[in-house]
Amino acid sequence: MKPDVERLRKARVMVAGDVMLDRYWSGSTSRISPEAPVPVVRVGGSEDRAGGAANVAANAVAVGARAILVGLVGDDADAGSLEACCKRAGIETRLQRRAPRTTVKLRVLAQHQQLLRLDFERLPDREALALDPELSELLPAVGALVLSDYAKGALRDPQPWIAQARAAGKPVVVDPKSRDFARYAGASVLTPNSAEFEAVVGACRSDEDIAARGAALCRAHGFGAVLVTRGERGMSLIRADAAPLHLKARARDVYDVTGAGDTVCAIVACALAAGSDLPTATMLANVAAGLVVGKLGTAVVSNEELLAAVHPRRPSSARDEASLLDEVAAARARGERIVMTNGCFDLLHAGHVRYLEEAAALGDRLIVAVNTDASVRRLKGPTRPVNPLAQRLEVLAGLRAVDWVVPFDEDTPQRLIAAIGPDVLVKGGDYRIADIAGADEVLRRGGQVLTLPYHDGLSTTRLLESARGASREEEA
């Protein structure tokens, strides 16, 4: 399933858990205090934002979904400020004013850098979020439930929430802070970061360690999946009954990781609520996390930003290598068979079309790797290519047989083939398998290398020779 960001607008989710108010004081600093070795900040502005579970709901609304927020706050002015933030964001609130006070995190910033954080909180002794009859009636109307547990006391017993949602047939996404993962038994997806995950299962030195221990957690507690967010190393989706999915980080510039876990929870829940499968939801969450860490403080990713990142303005099936590797990993997690071929595809003709259709029939997804203009010139001479790379990609992307096209600049695609690891590598019948670039790498992985029949009389070189001959006759 190709990721459809627009589908997120159809989602409706309920978010329950520890809500908080994120407050920012920002200003400038140019000197050190004479009283202590600390910078003096001249505060010039203050901003309140929805934090904790409220930030999960804000991220859901930002991608076009509807969100109902259930949380525990105090009967105080800060609760009013939080409700105002939620109203501006378009969140439907069901806040219960039974806590000793509203949790506030105050961050002091100077020159867009965080200098200090002050936490104002009083955890309730016994109070917890009540799953009252009204909320129980709302659960069947939403597509997913998120439990955002920041260990502030709102989710002292998450089991009634999980049981009610599962009884209603709704997936439950949990962001855990407790080291007792048994508390979340039966959840559809658990989304710990690597530190939270290793605090429970022990240090993991490899992807294989993460996969084995994540699968054991799934079996022990009845989780549908464990999605480990790993910072600059990306994220890993582990299920007991499927191959692990390891995605590389998509962030280009990491500015602030505040709230990135909230974004992951929100996107996974919205995607599941909209009918996406879990690998696709994970891929969307990975892209969204890469966007949000490039923003300052508690932030959200809009539907338009996510759409531009997932479907950039270029031929619909054209990808850069990093994007393609993510999509291939997600396709593999869905059990899809990957076929790959390569070439210059300078003047596309009927022989190309027949060949690509035959290649596509060998699996579920067809990747076409295309030589860049510089690569073609090195192979074919200074007069080639006739058509520049952008046009060649666009034409190939328009063929129904082709799922993805990706350029490569080397003389051969051997390195790219090794990185992708297709199940089937295909070339035309004029090649011997021993001469096919990347064949050794595919065979070592247990894949197949095949040649397809060569269509006599159909070639780019012959087309160009015919065109030149016709031109000379016209000149004569």
Side-chain angles (χ1 to χ4, degrees), residues 179-361:
R179 292 189 178 187
D180 179 14
F181 281 5
R183 300 176 68 243
Y184 313 113
S188 307
V189 188
L190 210 67
T191 65
N193 61 37
S194 55
E196 293 161 349
F197 181 74
E198 290 185 341
V200 174
V201 303
C204 296
R205 294 177 175 81
S206 65
D207 289 351
E208 290 73 20
D209 284 350
I210 292 173
R213 296 176 190 183
L217 281 176
C218 290
R219 290 189 292 268
H221 304 304
F223 301 143
V226 175
L227 175 59
V228 185
T229 56
R230 303 169 64 189
E232 71 278 3
R233 289 176 292 171
M235 55 181 64
S236 297
L237 176 66
I238 312 301
R239 294 164 288 176
D241 57 352
L245 171 61
H246 301 291
L247 298 182
K248 294 182 179 180
R250 293 292 297 271
R252 294 180 180 175
D253 298 306
V254 178
Y255 198 74
D256 192 338
V257 298
T258 304
D262 298 336
T263 301
V264 170
C265 259
I267 300 303
V268 168
C270 289
L272 294 177
S276 294
D277 57 31
L278 192 49
T280 300
T282 301
M283 185 181 12
L284 287 173
N286 192 43
V287 175
L291 293 171
V292 81
V293 297
K295 302 183 179 187
L296 177 63
T298 307
V300 299
V301 175
S302 70
N303 189 283
E304 291 74 20
E305 289 175 299
L306 189 57
L307 182 63
V310 174
H311 298 295
R313 291 183 179 275
R314 56 188 174 185
S316 60
S317 62
R319 296 289 185 270
D320 59 32
E321 185 174 338
S323 300
L324 178 61
L325 289 173
D326 279 356
E327 295 204 46
V328 168
R332 273 214 177 85
R334 296 190 293 268
E336 295 176 356
R337 183 175 170 87
I338 308 299
V339 182
M340 186 171 179
T341 190
N342 67 275
C344 299
F345 298 98
D346 193 1
L347 291 178
L348 204 67
H349 51 70
H352 288 134
V353 175
R354 295 175 196 170
Y355 167 78
L356 292 173
E357 287 181 345
E358 291 166 4

Side-chain angles (χ1 to χ4, degrees), residues 39-57:
V40 175
V41 178
R42 185 183 295 275
V43 177
S46 177
E47 181 185 5
D48 288 345
R49 300 183 189 179
N55 186 43
V56 178

Side-chain angles (χ1 to χ4, degrees), residues 47-237:
E47 181 185 5
D48 288 345
R49 300 183 189 179
N55 186 43
V56 178
N59 271 273
V61 172
V63 294
R66 294 179 60 190
I68 303 170
L69 175 64
V70 186
L72 203 58
V73 295
D75 190 10
D76 49 35
D78 289 329
S81 297
L82 178 56
E83 288 180 322
C85 291
C86 292
K87 184 176 181 180
R88 287 195 300 270
I91 302 167
E92 184 180 338
T93 57
R94 297 286 195 280
L95 299 182
Q96 301 170 11
R97 292 194 175 217
R98 297 184 289 108
R101 68 154 297 152
T102 301
T103 296
V104 178
K105 293 183 178 180
L106 170 61
R107 296 173 175 90
V108 181
L109 312 176
Q111 281 80 45
H112 302 293
Q113 296 294 322
Q114 187 177 153
L115 300 181
L116 179 68
R117 193 182 94 182
L118 303 169
D119 288 4
F120 302 86
E121 62 183 27
R122 281 180 57 199
L123 303 185
D125 293 330
R126 289 178 298 277
E127 292 286 353
L129 278 181
L131 181 57
D132 59 34
E134 180 187 3
L135 294 176
S136 297
E137 290 174 5
L138 286 174
L139 273 173
V142 302
L145 170 67
V146 178
L147 297 182
S148 180
D149 188 358
Y150 272 82
K152 304 299 183 186
L155 290 171
R156 291 189 182 280
D157 183 9
Q159 277 303 308
W161 294 86
I162 295 171
Q164 289 262 14
R166 297 307 296 266
K170 309 300 177 181
V172 182
V173 180
V174 177
D175 190 3
K177 287 296 180 286
S178 171
R179 292 189 178 187
D180 179 14
F181 281 5
R183 300 176 68 243
Y184 313 113
S188 307
V189 188
L190 210 67
T191 65
N193 61 37
S194 55
E196 293 161 349
F197 181 74
E198 290 185 341
V200 174
V201 303
C204 296
R205 294 177 175 81
S206 65
D207 289 351
E208 290 73 20
D209 284 350
I210 292 173
R213 296 176 190 183
L217 281 176
C218 290
R219 290 189 292 268
H221 304 304
F223 301 143
V226 175
L227 175 59
V228 185
T229 56
R230 303 169 64 189
E232 71 278 3
R233 289 176 292 171
M235 55 181 64
S236 297
L237 176 66

Side-chain angles (χ1 to χ4, degrees), residues 11-22:
R12 189 179 189 194
V13 299
M14 180 183 291
V15 181
D18 294 304
V19 298
M20 55 195 73
L21 181 67
D22 282 358

